[in-house]
Amino acid sequence: MDNEVKNRIYSLRNELNYHNRLYYINNSPSISDIEYDRMMHELLELENQYPEYYDQYSPTQRVGNDHNEGFAQVTHERPMLSLSNTYSIDEVADFIKRAYKELGDSEEVKIVGELKYDGTSISLQYENGRLVRAVTRGDGVRGDDVTRNVMTIKSIPLVLPKGNYPYKFEVRGEILMPWTSFEELNKERAYNEEPLFANPRNAAAGSIKMQNSQEVAHRKLDAYIYYFLGDNLPYDNHYDNLKAIKEWGFKVSPHISLLNTVEEVREFINVWDIKRKELPVATDGLVFKINSLRQQEILGNTSKSPRWGVAYKFQAERAETRLKYVSFETGRMGVITPVANLEPVLLSGTIVKRASLHNDDIIKSLDIHEGDSLYVEKGGEIIPKIVGVNKTLRIKGSMPVQFVTHCQECGTELERIEGEAAWTCPNKNYCPPQIKGKIEHFVGRKMMNIDGIGEELVDRLYSVEMVRNVADLYDLTMERLLTLDRLKEKSAMRILKGIEESKQVSYRRVVYALSIPNVGETMAKILANASVNIDRLMSMTVEELSSINEIGPIIAKNVVEFFEQASNIAIIERLRIAGVKLALDESEQISKTDVLSGKTIVISGVFKNHSREEYKAMIENNGGKNSGSISAKTAFILAGENMGPSKLEKAKQLSVPIINEEEFIAMLEKVTS
Ligand code: IVH
């Protein structure tokens, strides 16, 4: 029986790895998503049931974990150099001619033309066909070990299928965020009024350095490998080596060309200057490399970059246009965004009329005056960005653009967010776009999912003063709705049904729906899981909140401040009366037994598997009591790493047992399984 299970697990892993390669690397899936999910599900079930077959390289492990480990610094075996850049085709031609000259007339020189992917570079080390380490470039000499995060990127193979690769080798490549993922991410961030990523490069670099690999797994990153290095390479030239690693299962760009002459190089540039706009990922130029490794060695390196390669950078497309005025727009969270309203101008095929100026610091650093002539670029082709001012066209005597001092919507004096460049309108409960924005958020699909209420209806409900906060929604009746112009009984019924159904929405989504500053979908889930119910969440201190994995001091402070406001408490009390779920259902809780009944337990140290808050909730859910200090009554100490020495001493004195995380979890699992 055991052998059967083992074989099934291994064969599912092999099959999933194979289909993963077809899907993420070769872009040619041979089975449906449903079939893939079914196999993944079966494997997950088996691995849960038979934990002895756990393997960190299993395809199920690509989802990441929420351990907060920081990154270890690793020294690169060979430094990660960068390439010298040029914006001119003639300089690329000069580079090649110089190489010809240095290598001598008798040498045949071939050049490999590649795309210069615009992400963040990564070094991947493999041993025995398994990814053992992934390290960022860092300063070129030392980088961060981001293996856990990189393991979530599906186009990076964790285990190679059988092949004739060396036992130990290193490849390098670029981690990218495809345009579609980038736009999706920024849309979500804009919605949450979080600072946007300027381009996919920043988004990729930021993502790979996140503490929570589960979050990284959601970021939908991709990667191309462009460099195979080491002493024991299969071929004597770069082009064939790339082909070899492609065979082994790596994702290598399909747009690599072997070029024979300077003319062919020029042609390659002309073609890709246009064609790159159709690619699903950002590129910022092209790379040319001397193909022969022997010739590469002859040419050598400078301290910063190799003499066998050069990067040709694309010129960003730029337009110039007049600033009509700057509008200062108030968002749902009260953050003010300055927006440049421009004379319409054509840029990379679209008409640009507006461009975000982000914050006051940017207006000041660009030194924008009223009526200035501005340079607009498409930051990575999609989002227009103001990059400078043509000062020769400045109107004499024009004044610098001043950030407003008062909210343009409600007239309240603005406040600066501590430590940030953003200004906000503090009139949270009465500023129209803030109230309407919060109601729209509350009814949204991922929150309370109240069908039939959209932006327009929120506007109407607000203007007739029928709904001025989210709790008012639960006082709507057919009679009151029908007093609205043009609203028919059928729509009203749909709205009331949606409101009624929202009472079944989980506590996790309710926490998200409340519009607590900086609390997006993931944070809301973490807060809901750790608190179990809203009363506990409302009473948690900044320290307690910050001890939850992934909850930083800023979010902790926001949560505490949110629940300090009487108006928010009043809303929650009304939601409670209406019957909205303000606690996790039993089935959503980690587990609930009375196995710890009558036991007082002290928690100490740093934990790996769950946060301290989660352990507190587990103790309470299983009938135990959590206490801060050790006494003769303490049943046991749940100890993580680095338990305080005085606690350790006291535990010994009183002979209080100390148990670790795994033992504690096993204790609860025994009774629930
Ligand atoms: S080769 C010795 N090839 O551009 C440098 N780099 O400044 C070897 N990049 O750090 C790099 N696409 O992050 C190479 N096809 C490509 C590339 C590429 C993007 C990045 C890489 C590197 C930087 C060069």
Side-chain angles (χ1 to χ4, degrees):
M1 168 66 194
D2 248 18
N3 244 349
E4 230 171 77
V5 168
K6 189 171 153 191
N7 289 342
R8 183 69 189 143
I9 287 180
Y10 285 13
S11 101
L12 281 167
R13 282 179 187 161
N14 276 339
E15 266 197 72
L16 283 163
N17 278 335
Y18 170 72
H19 290 295
N20 190 67
R21 278 197 299 281
L22 290 186
Y23 187 93
Y24 289 102
I25 299 179
N26 303 350
N27 290 326
S28 62
S30 70
I31 56 169
S32 68
D33 289 2
I34 296 177
E35 183 66 4
Y36 184 89
D37 290 345
R38 197 197 54 72
M39 282 199 277
M40 183 66 92
H41 195 76
E42 186 187 342
L43 179 57
L44 266 168
E45 293 251 298
L46 284 174
E47 288 179 351
N48 271 340
Q49 226 176 323
Y50 300 92
E52 61 270 34
Y53 297 124
Y54 167 83
D55 180 351
Q56 58 166 325
Y57 291 99
S58 167
T60 56
Q61 298 302 303
R62 296 246 195 203
V63 292
N65 66 36
D66 63 357
H67 297 174
N68 192 341
E69 288 163 342
F71 301 110
Q73 289 265 306
V74 179
T75 303
H76 294 293
E77 256 173 55
R78 294 175 178 78
M80 281 181 89
L81 304 178
S82 58
L83 293 165
S84 57
N85 286 330
T86 171
Y87 287 89
S88 127
I89 298 192
D90 287 339
E91 278 184 26
V92 175
D94 287 348
F95 158 81
I96 294 160
K97 286 178 196 153
R98 245 195 333 271
Y100 284 166
K101 201 166 149 204
E102 227 158 290
L103 294 167
D105 286 344
S106 57
E107 292 268 338
E108 187 195 30
V109 181
K110 285 191 192 282
I111 292 137
V112 182
E114 299 175 18
L115 295 174
K116 186 171 186 301
Y117 289 107
D118 197 12
T120 185
S121 46
I122 193 80
S123 148
L124 305 173
Q125 290 159 32
Y126 284 78
E127 270 176 38
N128 199 15
R130 287 171 169 242
L131 173 71
V132 290
R133 192 174 283 152
V135 186
T136 62
R137 180 168 183 277
D139 60 5
V141 177
R142 284 156 69 79
D144 287 325
D145 182 334
V146 289
T147 314
R148 278 278 354 143
N149 286 348
V150 165
M151 285 175 85
T152 67
I153 302 175
K154 307 277 199 340
S155 47
I156 293 183
L158 302 184
V159 183
L160 301 177
K162 285 213 162 29
N164 62 339
Y165 39 78
Y167 179 79
K168 205 174 153 186
F169 67 90
E170 178 185 352
V171 292
R172 290 182 186 166
E174 201 81 354
I175 291 177
L176 300 159
M177 184 174 287
W179 284 117
T180 48
S181 320
F182 170 69
E183 281 152 30
E184 217 174 275
L185 175 66
N186 257 357
K187 217 160 124 191
E188 193 183 314
R189 290 176 75 86
Y191 183 76
N192 292 327
E193 287 168 42
E194 288 163 351
L196 301 189
F197 284 114
N199 48 47
R201 177 185 356 109
N202 292 359
S207 301
I208 212 63
K209 295 283 278 285
M210 282 195 306
Q211 296 292 348
N212 182 342
S213 56
Q214 256 164 15
E215 277 286 311
V216 184
H218 287 140
R219 291 274 174 105
K220 298 195 190 120
L221 296 168
D222 198 352
Y224 281 104
I225 307 302
Y226 48 64
Y227 196 15
F228 182 21
L229 65 169
D231 298 323
N232 42 2
L233 307 186
Y235 296 99
D236 65 359
N237 69 85
H238 175 64
Y239 189 79
D240 287 332
N241 281 327
L242 287 187
K243 277 212 302 215
I245 62 172
K246 196 172 183 167
E247 290 290 306
W248 298 343
F250 287 97
K251 185 165 184 170
V252 175
S253 167
H255 310 298
I256 294 180
S257 293
L258 207 47
L259 308 165
N260 295 298
T261 61
V262 174
E263 281 61 48
E264 284 181 25
V265 168
R266 284 182 187 274
E267 180 61 19
F268 188 81
I269 294 179
N270 291 331
V271 168
W272 278 109
D273 220 350
I274 308 207
K275 250 183 41 185
R276 68 181 174 111
K277 290 171 194 153
E278 296 156 16
L279 294 168
V281 294
T283 52
D284 61 338
L286 303 171
V287 178
F288 296 100
K289 302 170 184 169
I290 303 290
N291 189 32
S292 151
L293 300 188
R294 185 181 55 80
Q295 291 175 351
Q296 285 191 3
E297 207 162 309
I298 297 174
L299 294 167
N301 301 317
T302 69
S303 63
K304 278 208 218 104
S305 52
R307 286 201 192 84
W308 47 259
V310 69
Y312 167 81
K313 300 260 272 191
F314 298 129
Q315 205 72 259
E317 286 188 59
R318 178 184 275 205
E320 190 176 334
T321 188
R322 194 60 80 179
L323 172 67
K324 291 205 292 193
Y325 61 94
V326 176
S327 52
F328 293 87
E329 303 177 4
T330 310
R332 166 171 67 101
M333 297 300 194
V335 176
I336 313 295
T337 306
V339 177
N341 291 263
L342 309 162
E343 289 294 350
V345 64
L346 189 67
L347 180 61
S348 316
T350 52
I351 301 215
V352 178
K353 292 186 200 146
R354 282 160 57 85
S356 169
L357 288 165
H358 302 288
N359 58 47
D360 198 11
D361 289 359
I362 291 188
I363 298 178
K364 291 209 173 82
S365 69
L366 290 169
D367 182 31
I368 300 176
H369 285 219
E370 310 278 357
D372 264 352
S373 189
L374 303 178
Y375 297 120
V376 193
E377 271 183 14
K378 286 231 172 145
E381 314 300 332
I382 303 273
I383 301 164
K385 184 177 171 196
I386 307 291
V387 292
V389 176
N390 180 351
K391 293 200 176 152
T392 62
L393 292 183
R394 176 163 285 167
I395 301 159
K396 265 215 172 74
S398 69
M399 297 298 288
V401 167
Q402 290 291 335
F403 208 91
V404 287
T405 53
H406 291 74
C407 174
Q408 303 300 287
E409 297 281 345
C410 70
T412 307
E413 192 171 348
L414 301 181
E415 287 175 359
R416 189 134 194 179
I417 301 178
E418 219 181 283
E420 285 182 37
W423 288 89
T424 61
C425 166
N427 185 18
K428 304 277 171 235
N429 299 321
Y430 298 100
C431 177
Q434 294 193 57
I435 311 169
K436 285 191 273 187
K438 281 179 191 133
I439 300 168
E440 278 163 29
H441 172 78
F442 187 82
V443 300
R445 198 174 51 81
K446 286 179 153 183
M447 303 80 184
M448 306 305 279
N449 193 21
I450 302 181
D451 213 14
I453 306 186
E455 194 178 333
E456 197 219 319
L457 188 65
V458 169
D459 209 43
R460 286 166 71 195
L461 291 166
Y462 175 84
S463 60
V464 298
E465 298 185 22
M466 210 181 279
V467 177
R468 286 282 158 122
N469 62 51
V470 299
D472 289 345
L473 290 167
Y474 294 89
D475 291 341
L476 290 175
T477 58
M478 177 63 84
E479 209 181 354
R480 297 180 69 206
L481 281 172
L482 289 180
T483 63
L484 291 175
D485 259 4
R486 304 188 309 276
L487 193 99
K488 299 270 165 9
E489 201 174 316
K490 205 168 150 201
S491 313
M493 262 162 68
R494 188 162 143 226
I495 293 164
L496 292 172
K497 185 165 167 265
I499 291 172
E500 196 50 39
E501 284 171 2
S502 76
K503 296 175 187 170
Q504 296 310 316
V505 161
S506 74
Y507 169 56
R508 297 187 180 117
R509 279 168 58 171
V510 175
V511 174
Y512 181 32
L514 291 174
S515 287
I516 303 169
N518 287 315
V519 175
E521 197 178 355
T522 311
M523 288 303 153
K525 237 185 239 168
I526 294 171
L527 286 171
N529 287 343
S531 62
V532 182
N533 63 57
I534 199 117
D535 295 305
R536 172 101 185 90
L537 185 61
M538 290 198 290
S539 70
M540 281 167 97
T541 62
V542 170
E543 289 71 35
E544 284 173 319
L545 288 159
S546 320
S547 77
I548 304 173
N549 254 350
E550 281 307 298
I551 304 287
I554 295 179
I555 293 185
K557 191 165 156 265
N558 284 330
V559 173
V560 168
E561 280 175 6
F562 182 87
F563 290 118
E564 268 169 8
Q565 280 185 47
S567 54
N568 289 333
I569 304 279
I571 288 173
I572 283 160
E573 289 318 318
R574 287 178 61 204
L575 294 178
R576 196 195 302 270
I577 292 165
V580 169
K581 280 194 182 168
L582 298 176
L584 289 182
D585 283 342
E586 283 203 7
S587 61
E588 294 171 318
Q589 294 181 28
I590 298 171
S591 66
K592 217 165 182 161
T593 67
D594 55 5
V595 66
L596 302 175
S597 144
K599 293 197 162 83
T600 303
I601 297 150
V602 173
I603 302 181
S604 177
V606 185
F607 295 94
K608 290 200 302 273
N609 296 315
H610 292 279
S611 69
R612 194 176 260 264
E613 280 309 314
E614 280 168 349
Y615 279 123
K616 274 190 197 165
M618 278 155 113
I619 290 173
E620 281 163 22
N621 284 337
N622 290 285
K625 222 180 105 195
N626 173 236
S627 157
S629 57
I630 303 171
S631 74
K633 285 199 199 118
T634 309
F636 61 85
I637 296 164
L638 167 56
E641 271 167 37
N642 300 331
M643 178 178 164
S646 60
K647 276 204 174 134
L648 199 61
E649 185 59 30
K650 190 140 188 211
K652 269 192 199 151
Q653 255 176 28
L654 298 170
S655 307
V656 176
I658 298 176
I659 73 163
N660 65 26
E661 281 180 87
E662 286 75 21
E663 289 164 330
F664 179 70
I665 293 167
M667 197 181 215
L668 301 184
E669 275 171 357
K670 230 189 245 158
V671 275
T672 48
S673 60

